[in-house]
Amino acid sequence: MTPRQARHEAGSATANHEDTLVRMLYEEHAGPLLMFVLRLTGGDRQRAEDIVQETLLRAWRNAHRLGAQGQQSLRPWLVTVARRIAIDDHRSASARPPETYDRELESFPSTADDTDRVLQLMTVTDALRTLSQSHREILVETYFRGRTVPEAADVLGLPLGTAKSRVYYALRALRTALQQRGVTE
């Protein structure tokens, strides 16, 4: 027999022993452990099965230590491990926000998107900056502060005719500035 064949047979013997150990753990302890964990999880079978699987996996990983502690039964250790896993799962679930994958998207309230309004405001503000000071003042008074042309003329100390012509020419200049920005035709 070559060394390679000996290693292969030793490896398959170890694998067979591990398979037997896992089967034995599962057959002997999975049922009672599942009943115990179901009470811990409030009847959530899926969580309980996951906890039992994790518990048996930890027992398999620590098999070399379990026999060395002189225990007559493995069940108290399994129950303790399962209880700790359940507690850890509960704590980690309460530390995270609740999952919302079951909720329909239509149930979420729709909020208005202000992006278009903000972009329009930025474009108009930029276009207003290109106007002369006198044109900007008359448009701010009449359109943004809601004053009539005579009221704006009084506030700015202008004759009524001058205020009217400034509004006319300011609007033309604003339209040209907005056309350059692709807003109007």
Side-chain angles (χ1 to χ4, degrees), residues 157-178:
L158 299 171
L160 183 57
T162 304
K164 285 181 181 181
S165 67
R166 280 193 186 168
V167 168
Y168 174 78
Y169 288 111
L171 286 174
R172 282 183 59 185
L174 182 61
R175 176 178 289 141
T176 302
L178 291 172

Side-chain angles (χ1 to χ4, degrees), residues 134 136-160 162-164 166-167:
S134 59
R136 197 170 35 249
E137 285 175 347
I138 196 72
L139 289 180
V140 167
E141 293 298 325
T142 55
Y143 285 92
F144 296 104
R145 293 196 177 136
R147 294 190 170 115
T148 63
V149 176
E151 290 172 345
D154 285 342
V155 169
L156 294 173
L158 299 171
L160 183 57
T162 304
K164 285 181 181 181
R166 280 193 186 168
V167 168

Side-chain angles (χ1 to χ4, degrees), residues 83-97:
R83 190 174 134 280
R84 288 179 180 164
I85 292 171
I87 290 170
D88 289 346
D89 282 354
H90 177 72
R91 286 179 181 162
S92 67
S94 63
R96 293 187 304 256

Side-chain angles (χ1 to χ4, degrees), residues 24-82:
M24 186 271 310
L25 280 172
Y26 189 81
E27 289 171 1
E28 189 175 335
H29 300 289
L33 196 57
L34 181 62
M35 293 300 123
F36 171 73
V37 176
L38 274 170
R39 287 190 301 256
L40 291 177
T41 60
D44 186 348
R45 188 167 184 88
Q46 184 176 0
R47 273 187 60 218
E49 288 175 354
D50 288 345
I51 291 171
V52 168
Q53 183 178 6
E54 179 64 26
T55 303
L56 294 175
L57 181 65
R58 289 184 187 183
W60 174 71
R61 286 182 185 157
N62 294 303
H64 62 283
R65 283 194 252 159
L66 294 176
Q69 294 176 355
Q71 296 172 324
Q72 293 188 4
S73 175
L74 194 57
R75 189 152 309 151
W77 185 88
L78 292 171
V79 167
T80 301
V81 170

